[in-house]
Amino acid sequence: MKTKADRIANMPDYPFARWGEKVRAARAAGLDVIRLDIGNPDLPPPDKVVDALCSSARDPSAHGYPGYRGIPQLREGITSYYERRFNVNLNPQEEVVPLLGSKEGIAHLSLAILDPGDLVLVPDPGYPSYTMGAVIAGARVHKFPLLPERGFLPDLDAIPSDVALEAKVIWLNYPNNPTAATADLKFLEQAVAFAREHDILLCHDLPYCDVTYDGYTAPSVLQVPGAKEVAVEFNSLSKTYNMAGWRVGIAAGNPDVLASLFAIKSNVDSGQFLPVQEAAARALETPEDWIKARNRIYKERISTAVSGLAALGFPVSPQKATFYIWTRVPEGQNSEGFATALLENTGVSVAPGSFFGEKGEGYIRISLTSPKAHIAEAMDRIRKYISGLSST
Ligand SMILES: Cc1ncc(COP(=O)(O)O)c(C=O)c1O
């Protein structure tokens, strides 16, 4: 009996699923684990969003199939959000598709527009689903490096021209996971020009656009004039409104690409639970004050972690967005080895940078999605561990 398609024969396990097993084993061994590995917001969504979910779920008529395209209220909530937040106008019928989390849409996008053997340009380090979506679709991946000396922005001109001409899709993600780097609108303009010149679909992934600090405002690629001709943007309610478990994402932009994405989705899923859609529409109306107050909490956590790490000699730079800290492992150690030793010796769980690609080797990513007291405790444990290492 065949139990595996060729296209997934060499597909590694999703790295964070594998890491989750290590965390479970550490807990089973009696360790008090502080999880700073996955970007899983610990704070709650706005109250009114939870209230909307509960009251909608009490309606006996809310439990059937909700329809495929997303309810008008949610689509219009998305377009109003894009207009208010980015001054971008979208047609709610054709230029927006609600997703079961943006990860779902990212993976299905590849199936929707790529043929086996097509070439995809993916940042290294980068969110694993860009590569995995391409692998599932039987496509080939060309990785381009994000390097510290360029502020983790790619040098698009360094992509060989034959590769750029062959490629069908390029993935970009700013504010960036895992590096916390940001890009300005000028960079996104260059990316749109690159996509246009090479006849490539630009997929911009923007889930951290509202996790920003010190007055920084992250741009949407759709702000670039004419971007809809060559780009789609993925967005998410997971980080903006602390709704990661709800699975609500957004694809917006080029209507032809979105029609292909919808063709796949309507054959794979049957839409999203109606109360979730109704509550998500309410979330998208959340006043900016709520977001600012939430971001102040992240900012305090970042300060706690940065001062702890800097005192231990980990290189850390100031950041304008995301709740991640991307820092180098001590000299002579590798990412997964260091993160594993840290977990097993201290119970502090951070993500090995190698989970995000070869260029992530030598780094760890620390996710500040735990209370400040836990972060302070984690820094203390790391300090004791590192000083133990240097005294042996
Ligand atoms: C860069 C990036 N894109 C997409 C996602 C997926 O988010 P979700 O599926 O929760 O919308 C994540 C989640 O961590 C992410 O970091």
Side-chain angles (χ1 to χ4, degrees):
M1 184 179 75
K2 183 168 177 177
T3 60
K4 204 177 243 187
D6 292 345
R7 80 177 78 83
I8 64 160
N10 298 317
M11 190 160 94
D13 291 340
Y14 191 64
F16 287 96
R18 185 158 61 77
W19 191 258
E21 292 306 317
K22 274 198 186 182
V23 169
R24 244 184 302 283
R27 283 192 169 132
L31 278 169
D32 166 28
V33 176
I34 301 176
R35 288 203 75 165
L36 306 179
D37 52 287
I38 46 172
N40 189 10
D42 59 314
L43 296 163
D47 282 345
K48 65 162 201 247
V49 178
V50 178
D51 292 345
L53 174 76
C54 296
S55 75
S56 175
R58 278 193 209 96
D59 176 353
S61 71
H63 297 266
Y65 293 117
Y68 297 94
R69 289 202 150 267
I71 57 172
Q73 211 179 323
L74 177 55
R75 291 172 159 265
E76 283 155 21
I78 293 169
T79 55
S80 303
Y81 167 82
Y82 258 82
E83 200 170 327
R84 192 179 72 240
R85 174 66 179 76
F86 302 112
N87 202 16
V88 164
N89 286 310
L90 295 166
N91 174 338
Q93 316 309 331
E94 294 174 348
E95 292 176 343
V96 164
V97 173
L99 304 169
L100 305 179
S102 61
K103 185 179 181 186
E104 174 266 307
I106 289 167
H108 279 143
L109 186 278
S110 291
L111 267 188
I113 69 160
L114 296 172
D115 287 312
D118 280 349
L119 189 64
V120 182
L121 304 176
V122 171
D124 181 1
Y127 180 62
S129 294
Y130 313 140
T131 296
M132 290 311 174
V135 168
I136 293 168
R140 291 171 298 133
V141 170
H142 174 92
K143 301 226 175 170
F144 56 86
L146 305 185
L147 302 172
E149 52 270 31
R150 294 186 59 88
F152 297 107
L153 290 172
D155 181 358
L156 296 175
D157 293 334
I159 297 174
S161 62
D162 56 328
V163 171
L165 283 168
E166 196 190 341
K168 300 288 183 283
V169 172
I170 180 167
W171 286 96
L172 291 174
N173 157 230
Y174 293 96
N176 185 259
N177 174 15
T179 67
T182 53
D184 57 15
L185 193 56
K186 195 157 163 272
F187 171 78
L188 295 179
E189 283 166 6
Q190 288 161 7
V192 167
F194 175 87
R196 203 184 285 288
E197 183 187 341
H198 298 96
D199 204 16
I200 297 178
L201 172 68
L202 167 58
C203 292
H204 186 231
D205 189 18
L206 190 62
Y208 299 96
C209 63
D210 289 315
V211 182
T212 57
Y213 311 110
D214 304 327
Y216 172 70
T217 307
S220 157
V221 76
L222 300 176
Q223 286 172 242
V224 177
K228 272 185 222 170
E229 289 159 28
V230 293
V232 290
E233 187 156 80
F234 289 89
N235 211 321
S236 174
L237 276 62
S238 295
K239 324 285 172 171
T240 296
Y241 304 113
N242 303 337
M243 292 167 65
W246 293 52
R247 313 310 301 131
V248 188
I250 298 167
N254 186 279
D256 296 330
V257 172
L258 294 187
S260 301
L261 178 59
F262 181 69
I264 291 282
K265 276 181 61 61
S266 53
N267 281 286
V268 174
D269 69 69
S270 297
Q272 200 150 28
F273 186 38
L274 188 70
V276 166
Q277 295 193 52
E278 288 182 350
R282 294 296 306 276
L284 289 160
E285 296 164 356
T286 302
E288 218 184 305
D289 282 355
W290 182 92
I291 291 178
K292 283 190 174 151
R294 189 274 318 275
N295 288 348
R296 278 196 291 276
I297 298 175
Y298 283 142
K299 176 80 189 174
E300 274 187 27
R301 295 174 177 184
I302 290 174
S303 303
T304 304
V306 162
S307 49
L309 291 166
L312 292 170
F314 286 89
V316 274
S317 12
Q319 63 189 81
K320 291 189 276 191
T322 82
F323 40 63
Y324 300 121
I325 292 180
W326 182 244
T327 189
R328 283 192 187 277
V329 298
E331 197 67 35
Q333 309 242 15
N334 74 62
S335 296
E336 192 161 351
F338 178 71
T340 303
L342 202 59
L343 173 63
E344 289 172 354
N345 288 288
T346 70
V348 176
S349 177
V350 301
S354 51
F355 283 8
F356 302 91
E358 274 175 34
K359 293 280 185 279
E361 183 49 74
Y363 289 87
I364 46 169
R365 189 196 70 178
I366 302 175
S367 174
L368 303 175
T369 45
S370 284
K372 195 171 132 183
H374 293 191
I375 292 165
E377 161 75 16
M379 293 304 131
D380 202 40
R381 291 190 200 173
I382 296 175
R383 184 180 54 74
K384 286 184 185 135
Y385 175 62
I386 302 263
S387 57
L389 282 186
S390 46
S391 64
T392 52

